[in-house]
Amino acid sequence: MSPDARALLAVARKELRVLRRYPLTLLNTMLFMPLYQLVLPVLLLGTAFLVKGRSLGMDELTGTSDFGGWLSAGLVGATVTGTVLSGPAQAMASERGLGTLEQTWAMPVSRRALVLGLMTCMTGLSLLAGVTMAVLVSLLAGARYGPGTVLVLPVFAALVPGLAGMGLLSASLSLLWRQAVGLTDNLGYVVTVLAGVTFPVAVLWDALRPVSYLIPTTWAIDLSRRAALGADSLYPPAVEVCALLATSGLFLAGGTALFGRMERRMRAEGALSQH
């Protein structure tokens, strides 16, 4: 195993151990906060407009009246994307406060591997949290998933490179602005809106819809809804799969390039070891 791979796994284990020491904080961040900030308000508002248990407007726009199931599919994508966008910046700020960031970065391995190790831990935990919320929403709203739900797994596997790129983007912003937590949190909220987590992308303004199409989470969520619920998709599935792979690869390439550029800039300025 290469030094970078060992460092990646070591960072993932370290983050998991730290999070296990504070289980209530972990539950609050990944489960309770999304529930009371996003899930319950949207679910209750949507339920208020049901007609004889059916969401007629949703049926017309998306091809399914299963509001609970439709929302659940979006929540998984939103939880994972929001976590990987805000996680690296929060972790770097925490290590900076503890005084361990410089020692970690002094290891003779790629710093990109250190960020991806953090991402590995956070992606796994956020997926678990997202699935848990989807199950809870299903129980509350009576969602009905079809046998095609198993196809959601390869869809989110194709999203992973894009998530890695988002994490590197978050780390890059932390290098550029030391206190970037607020910015990365807001980016997570913007992605949640543009990806159509709580409403169909079709209702976005024409000027924002092309921006939504550049986010891999948009395609992952749309494909998941079609697979699990038989909902209508924005475009034919083959086109959406290609769009997911293309945007996911674009985010990975862009995040990698930006992180490398920020690292070289910090090293040239002599500020990397004093970040």
Side-chain angles (χ1 to χ4, degrees):
M1 186 180 295
S2 68
D4 286 353
R6 288 200 300 269
L8 186 151
L9 294 176
V11 170
R13 287 196 301 268
K14 182 202 72 171
E15 291 298 326
L16 184 58
R17 286 180 180 177
V18 171
L19 292 171
R20 284 172 56 191
R21 292 176 184 174
Y22 307 98
L24 292 180
T25 301
L26 179 62
L27 283 174
N28 181 60
T29 302
M30 291 196 167
L31 189 60
F32 295 146
M33 284 180 61
L35 276 174
Y36 69 73
Q37 289 183 350
L38 178 65
V39 178
L40 291 178
V42 173
L43 184 61
L44 293 173
L45 180 63
T47 304
F49 290 95
L50 294 180
V51 178
K52 296 182 179 179
R54 296 184 62 216
S55 179
L56 302 181
M58 180 74 68
D59 196 359
E60 181 179 352
L61 282 171
T62 67
T64 178
S65 61
D66 189 347
F67 178 70
W70 190 89
L71 177 62
S72 298
L75 291 175
V76 179
T79 303
V80 176
T81 303
T83 300
V84 300
L85 273 173
S86 62
Q90 291 176 350
M92 291 173 69
S94 176
E95 287 209 31
R96 187 188 304 118
L98 293 172
T100 57
L101 183 62
E102 290 79 6
Q103 290 88 336
T104 302
W105 281 30
M107 292 191 299
V109 295
S110 168
R111 292 181 177 89
R112 186 169 61 249
L114 302 179
V115 176
L116 293 178
L118 172 67
M119 289 275 307
T120 301
C121 175
M122 291 191 165
T123 301
L125 291 174
S126 59
L127 272 173
L128 180 61
V131 171
T132 301
M133 280 193 291
V135 171
L136 289 175
V137 172
S138 300
L139 294 175
L140 292 173
R144 300 174 300 277
Y145 301 114
T149 304
V150 295
L151 297 177
V152 173
L153 296 176
V155 167
F156 275 90
L159 178 62
V160 168
L163 295 175
M166 293 179 191
L168 290 169
L169 171 65
S170 174
S172 302
L173 294 176
S174 295
L175 290 179
L176 184 60
W177 295 294
R178 287 168 57 91
Q179 302 297 331
V181 175
L183 177 61
T184 54
D185 284 346
N186 288 330
L187 280 176
Y189 297 140
V190 170
V191 169
T192 297
V193 172
L194 293 178
V197 171
T198 55
F199 55 82
V201 173
V203 305
L204 279 174
W205 297 304
D206 292 341
L208 289 179
R209 208 172 301 149
V211 181
S212 173
Y213 294 161
L214 295 175
I215 302 172
T217 310
T218 303
W219 304 110
I221 291 175
D222 203 53
L223 285 167
S224 298
R225 286 166 173 161
R226 182 180 181 90
L229 303 170
D232 296 337
S233 53
L234 296 168
Y235 294 96
V239 174
E240 294 203 350
V241 169
C242 293
L244 171 59
L245 294 173
T247 53
S248 192
L250 181 64
F251 263 84
L252 178 60
T256 301
L258 182 60
F259 184 79
R261 181 177 179 180
M262 290 297 104
E263 185 183 2
R264 290 191 297 271
R265 173 181 171 180
M266 297 286 289
R267 187 184 295 115
E269 294 174 352
L272 190 61
S273 62
Q274 302 165 350
H275 188 65

